[in-house]
Each structure stands twice: as structure tokens, then as C-alpha cells.
Amino acid sequence: MTKLILVFLLFSTTFSFGQKLDFGLSVGTGKSYLFESIDRTVNVNYGVPISFMTEIKFTPKDKNWGIKLRVHNVESTLKGENWVNKTPLNGYINSITTSLILENEISKKHFSYGFNFGLGLTKETIQQQQYYSFDKSVQNYTSLSVGGHFTHKISKDFDFQILPTLLWQDPFKTIGYLTGKRNANFAGEDLTMTINFGLRYRLTK
């Protein structure tokens, strides 16, 4: 994924002359691990998450489609019991997803809107409170994201953005579970939904 980021930055820097390059920063909330949260057969409680998002987007001249590099950090508290190994839970769960995203944007005079989708790599960390004898758990997996955006121009260089996002975590294991070829795991394969609010700055016009 590091090489992918470097390739994107080199590509966007090389071809940004005469093109459009934007940087975005946003914060929000939502609902993490939707299916496990609503499953009444397990004792797991995910707190209201905090969502941070950093993006850089390259758009070719006179085109509606652009490519975006996104780093999305979602963190929430975690309490209950790990129903796989029957260990207590009292800490937090954090996921950092780095994605390459294709985005369509329809521009009007003072606002724009559109949708996006992409593929990324997620690093998920479960960290217990210090008084629990439980090592930090880390796993990596692919994720798919689908989302939209509404952008309102507030100045020559800045836009206000609303960014709803649906993140499908570990889709390959999810399909394996649904087809009966894999057992379900704690956290991991699930859906997380967030809505972020933030600013976008035009690096090049």
C-alpha cells in the first residue's frame, strides 16, 4: 500500500499542471460493525465511533471523473465478550483504511455532488484497557467503500463537504461465511457507516 501511495503522489504531482488537485480533511461519526451491533445473540457493544478522513483528489481537465487517495480512521469503544474465544472486552477498536477511489462529481455554480467507490487496505487494531491481560490484536484485510458527497463553495479556494460512506470490511471472508466455506470471526468482516463534515482546499485550479 505504501508503494501505491507513492505512485499516486508521483502521478498527481507530475500531471497536476493544468489539472485540478484538491485536498480534503473531515471529521464525523456513524455506526461501526453494523451486523454484530444488532445481533442480539452476542454480548458486544460498540460505542459511537469517531471518524477522521484525509483525502487528496486528482481530476483531469474538463472531466467529471477523478481519482482520490483516502485515509479513513474510525475508532470506537468496545465492551462485552469476544464470542469466539470467550474473553472479556473493555477497550477500543480502531481501523485505518487506505483506499484508491474513483469519484464522479457534477459541478454547479455554487455546489457540486456525486458518488464514489473504491478498494483499500484496512488495518484493524483491538486494544484492551491496561488491567486486562490481553495482547493487542491486529489484523489486515481488504475493504470496499461506496459513498457520496455534497460540496458547497464557501470561498475561492475552500469548499464545505458532507461525505456519507459505507465501508464493507473484508468482503472476501464475508462471502466465504455467507457461502458456508468459512466460520464467522469477531469484528473483521462487517459493515461500517459514517458521515463526515469538513473542508476541501483547491491546491491547483
Side-chain angles (χ1 to χ4, degrees), residues 45 61 92 121 167 176 193:
N45 180 30
K61 187 177 181 181
Y92 67 87
L121 178 66
L167 188 67
M193 181 173 60

Side-chain angles (χ1 to χ4, degrees), residues 27-31 47-52 74 163 193-197:
V27 63
T29 187
K31 187 67 175 177
V48 177
I50 299 176
S51 169
F52 294 99
V74 181
L163 304 165
M193 181 173 60
T194 62
I195 182 165
N196 279 43
F197 304 87

Side-chain angles (χ1 to χ4, degrees), residues 55-191:
E55 306 174 316
I56 186 166
K57 179 183 176 183
F58 169 79
T59 307
K61 187 177 181 181
D62 300 324
K63 299 295 182 182
N64 291 332
W65 285 94
I67 186 169
K68 177 183 288 188
L69 175 67
R70 171 185 288 173
V71 179
H72 192 183
N73 189 339
V74 181
E75 182 172 310
S76 62
T77 58
L78 178 64
K79 292 184 179 181
E81 182 184 63
N82 184 327
W83 48 270
V84 175
N85 56 25
K86 305 301 182 182
T87 56
L89 297 168
N90 190 356
Y92 67 87
I93 184 166
N94 174 274
S95 68
I96 300 176
T97 303
T98 304
S99 304
L100 275 181
I101 293 172
L102 287 175
E103 183 169 81
N104 176 267
E105 183 169 2
I106 300 172
S107 298
K108 303 296 183 180
K109 186 175 182 180
H110 296 294
F111 67 93
S112 65
Y113 59 92
F115 64 93
N116 56 65
F117 56 90
L119 178 68
L121 178 66
T122 297
K123 179 181 179 181
E124 179 188 85
T125 304
I126 300 174
Q127 180 67 62
Q128 293 276 47
Q129 298 287 354
Q130 293 181 356
Y131 51 82
Y132 276 86
S133 59
F134 179 81
D135 293 333
K136 180 170 67 174
S137 171
V138 179
Q139 62 172 329
N140 300 300
Y141 47 76
T142 56
S143 293
L144 297 174
S145 66
V146 178
H149 68 92
F150 178 82
T151 302
H152 180 71
K153 187 175 182 179
I154 57 178
S155 72
K156 179 181 177 181
D157 296 321
F158 285 95
D159 298 328
F160 172 73
Q161 285 192 309
I162 302 175
L163 304 165
T165 303
L166 181 65
L167 188 67
W168 183 7
Q169 299 153 259
D170 210 346
F172 302 110
K173 287 185 180 178
T174 303
I175 294 172
Y177 167 68
L178 294 175
T179 57
K181 296 180 179 180
R182 282 181 173 271
N183 293 326
N185 292 315
F186 172 70
E189 59 268 19
D190 214 313
L191 295 175

